[in-house]
Amino acid sequence: MKALTTVHPGRLPKAPLPVLTLFARKSAADHRSWALPVTAYALVSGLLVSVIAGVVMYWQFQFTAPGMVSTYRILSAVALFILALPLINLASAAARLSTRRKDSRLSGLRLLGASRRTLSALILGEAVAQATLGVVIGGGLYALLIPVLGLLHVDGRQIGAGAMVLPVPVILLCWALLILLAGVSSAVGLRRISISPLAVRTRRDVPKMHWLRAVVPVIALVAVVLLWRESLSLPEIGVALVGSAVLFGVPMMAMAFAGPWIVARSGRRMHRKAKSPEHLVAARMILSDPRAAWRQLQSVVLLAFVAVTVGGGLAVMAQTSGQPGVEHLVADMRTGAVLTVLFGFFTVACAVMIDQTAAVADRRDVWRNLDLVGMPFGSVDRVRRMAVTRPMRALLIVALVSAVVVQAPVLGVGLVLSPTSVGAAAVVLGLGILMVPLAVLLTRSSLTTAVREPVGQVL
């Protein structure tokens, strides 16, 4: 105990190695705090490697018509671009979990004399360990998906499981990038945490959402309409597809400015017109951090925009399916569009489920206090769900209106030529949107634990 009691003037004593070892051992034994981050990284790893495998497959597949090679490659690149944002959000949600719910243990080590550098190293080490275990488990998920994805057809032929097997170096590179993301995200999160002997607390000032954030999207929307009309006259389908990729990117960059403002606006309107205590509490939760709500739901905007755009485009292209070499292309684009949208929404739902489970633990005192003042458990759960669904509804309205404005010429032609294709796109979009509230509903058991368990039992 001498190492703990001897304090040199002007500095804290260093925590002895047995204490640090005890922290690491206790952390590893705490299965509840490890289960969610490891599961999240496993999902990210399995889904990311599967998407990369699909893109590589298109670049190595032997097509019947050589002229279609560049078209399929561009389509695979566009799909990767669309799925990149949901996958990044899922990976970020997993990484943020690594720095949460360690307050008591970190404060104890601080009291024992551990320096901030030592505590930071512990947190980073734990995050990297969780990510490493998760990505390895995700490799097993990818192995399970290989035979399922091999059943898909491209160019009129079944691709086979062998086409979905990536080289080992590529898989290891994907894993290394995810582990690096875990370390970087944890390091960034540590910059906002003040570690003291009395407590571990987060310093955060919620910024105001200025109305100027809404100006950039309006300008971008006009630019996209003009660009889209110009791209319709392009003779080469490859150039048109590249232009479409840009048209997906510009609205998303614009929404990155306007998204938090839209969420905050939705929260203020809900607060002003609150019809019940549930609406009032949910509005205050939204307004407490509009950017966090936007980060959670931003992929929904992209996927809704994509669903409307692709639905109109496929409706027009369906009329040319009888031409040589185009029939398989239309069928493959339809399959790829459905898989991309549903795969993207599934990824968003996983990220929302992770964020909501962590948020329940972070706000456990709020939920417990609401229960103590007499709010029924169903109302408490409704507050939590409305804090997600109300901003999502506002964002979806903006996204769908923007997509209809941008794609008005194509949608108009598509509704006349093939209303079934447009209706099918709407059904796929609806199924994808339903995954998000379902993901929130699946975290109800975490809320039950937070409300019912004694203080100190919830992680």
Side-chain angles (χ1 to χ4, degrees):
M1 296 297 293
K2 291 183 179 180
L4 300 180
T5 56
T6 303
V7 182
H8 296 280
R11 64 176 181 176
L12 288 170
K14 294 183 178 179
L17 182 61
V19 175
L20 302 182
T21 305
L22 179 63
F23 173 86
R25 187 180 303 169
K26 287 291 185 181
S27 177
D30 187 3
H31 302 296
R32 292 177 64 180
S33 66
W34 273 62
L36 193 57
V38 170
T39 302
Y41 279 114
L43 286 172
V44 176
S45 174
L47 297 178
L48 175 63
V49 176
S50 299
V51 171
I52 298 297
V55 174
V56 172
M57 180 273 298
Y58 276 108
W59 284 71
Q60 296 179 344
F61 195 82
Q62 299 297 323
F63 293 95
T64 305
M68 290 292 177
V69 174
S70 59
T71 300
Y72 276 94
R73 290 180 176 179
I74 292 173
L75 285 172
S76 66
V78 172
L80 179 61
F81 167 81
I82 293 171
L83 292 175
L85 182 61
L87 286 171
I88 291 173
N89 286 341
L90 179 57
S92 299
R96 287 193 296 269
L97 288 175
S98 301
T99 56
R100 293 186 179 188
R101 312 319 310 160
K102 301 178 179 68
D103 295 16
S104 58
R105 284 182 299 201
L106 293 178
S107 297
L109 286 179
R110 196 74 168 100
L111 282 169
L112 292 173
S115 65
R116 178 179 174 84
R117 181 177 299 179
T118 300
L119 298 182
S120 300
L122 285 173
I123 295 177
L124 291 176
E126 187 177 41
V128 171
Q130 291 173 347
T132 303
L133 179 59
V135 297
V136 172
I137 297 174
L141 175 61
Y142 164 62
L144 294 176
L145 290 175
I146 286 176
V148 178
L149 296 175
L151 298 176
L152 297 176
H153 287 71
V154 174
D155 199 24
R157 292 171 290 162
Q158 184 174 321
I159 60 177
M164 295 300 296
V165 178
L166 281 177
V168 175
V170 178
I171 297 176
L172 294 178
L173 177 61
C174 293
W175 289 2
L177 291 175
L178 288 175
I179 295 172
L180 178 63
L181 174 64
V184 172
S185 298
S186 296
V188 173
L190 282 173
R191 296 178 61 185
R192 300 181 180 179
I193 296 177
S194 174
I195 304 175
S196 70
L198 298 179
V200 179
R201 58 185 181 274
T202 300
R203 295 175 178 174
R204 183 190 64 191
D205 295 325
V206 179
K208 295 182 179 180
M209 299 295 109
H210 201 276
W211 62 269
L212 286 176
R213 285 178 172 269
V215 175
V216 174
V218 174
I219 298 174
L221 183 63
V222 175
V224 169
V225 171
L226 297 177
L227 286 172
W228 179 243
R229 291 179 178 177
E230 292 295 328
S231 66
L232 291 177
S233 61
L234 295 177
E236 298 292 335
I237 186 172
V239 179
L241 289 172
V242 173
S244 298
V246 175
L247 296 177
F248 291 142
V250 172
M252 278 311 299
M253 287 188 291
M255 284 298 296
F257 285 91
W261 180 83
I262 295 172
V263 171
R265 184 79 176 177
S266 172
R268 285 194 295 270
R269 185 175 185 276
M270 186 177 178
H271 185 271
R272 187 173 61 253
K273 297 185 178 181
K275 300 178 181 179
S276 65
E278 293 93 332
H279 287 80
L280 188 62
V281 177
R284 294 305 305 169
M285 290 179 61
I286 295 170
L287 293 173
S288 66
D289 196 349
R291 285 183 176 177
W294 161 247
R295 282 196 307 267
Q296 195 176 62
L297 299 170
Q298 59 183 336
S299 299
V300 174
V301 177
L302 172 63
L303 294 170
F305 193 90
V306 168
V308 175
T309 303
V310 175
L314 289 176
V316 175
M317 291 190 65
Q319 303 306 310
T320 62
S321 59
Q323 299 180 9
V326 180
E327 184 175 359
H328 292 321
L329 175 62
V330 174
D332 293 340
M333 287 183 65
R334 184 180 297 111
T335 302
V338 171
L339 289 177
T340 299
V341 173
L342 293 181
F343 192 93
F345 272 110
F346 176 75
T347 306
V348 173
C350 291
V352 169
M353 188 162 56
I354 292 169
D355 277 334
Q356 285 300 304
T357 303
V360 166
D362 286 344
R363 294 172 171 168
R364 63 188 185 276
D365 293 335
V366 175
W367 309 125
R368 189 177 292 114
N369 290 336
L370 289 175
D371 181 68
L372 290 175
V373 299
M375 179 176 283
F377 179 80
S379 298
V380 176
D381 186 46
R382 189 184 177 204
V383 167
R384 191 175 57 92
R385 287 186 282 112
M386 283 194 299
V388 176
T389 56
R390 288 304 179 92
M392 185 178 71
R393 185 173 68 179
L395 291 171
L396 278 173
I397 291 174
V398 175
L400 293 176
V401 170
S402 301
V404 170
V405 171
V406 172
Q407 309 297 338
V410 177
L411 284 175
V413 176
L415 284 172
V416 174
L417 297 179
S418 182
T420 305
S421 298
V422 178
V427 171
V428 172
L429 177 59
L431 290 175
I433 293 172
L434 286 177
M435 292 184 189
V436 178
L438 178 61
V440 181
L441 186 63
L442 291 176
T443 61
R444 182 185 176 96
S445 59
S446 300
L447 181 63
T448 303
T449 301
V451 172
R452 306 302 181 194
E453 282 193 358
V455 177
Q457 296 291 323
V458 183
L459 288 175

